[in-house]
Amino acid sequence: MIILVGYATVEGQTRKIAEAVAAAVEAAGDRALLFDIASGAEYAIAHPEAAILCAPVHAARYPAAFASFVRQEASWLNSVPSAFV
């Protein structure tokens, strides 16, 4: 299974968490697609079958790029197994 491990980070800590999540996914035998949401790059080329999204909360808010990504991809996220960290 290909699992999108998407992240948004402010100080770099969430990236480290996402990297650890991706490593655990790979150790379990699945393929992790590590994706920096703020980069604006395309992730759909690999056709992920699940998603694990990681983002910090600062002042009771997710980073703007993360919130935009979730709104934009809500239909897809609701159609596959997904988790928020």
Side-chain angles (χ1 to χ4, degrees):
M1 175 180 282
I2 300 171
I3 301 173
L4 175 72
V5 180
Y7 69 92
T9 190
V10 174
E11 298 172 355
Q13 296 305 313
T14 306
R15 179 181 52 82
K16 292 177 185 177
I17 293 167
E19 289 171 345
V21 169
V25 165
E26 299 251 334
D30 291 309
R31 180 172 168 220
L33 178 61
L34 190 62
F35 175 66
D36 179 357
I37 291 170
S39 74
E42 182 62 43
Y43 69 88
I45 294 169
H47 304 291
E49 302 159 284
I52 302 172
L53 302 179
C54 309
V57 177
H58 284 264
R61 301 189 123 151
Y62 289 113
F66 182 81
S68 293
F69 175 83
V70 171
R71 276 192 299 276
Q72 176 183 326
E73 300 296 335
S75 178
W76 173 70
L77 289 168
N78 285 323
S79 72
V80 298
S82 57
F84 289 84
V85 178

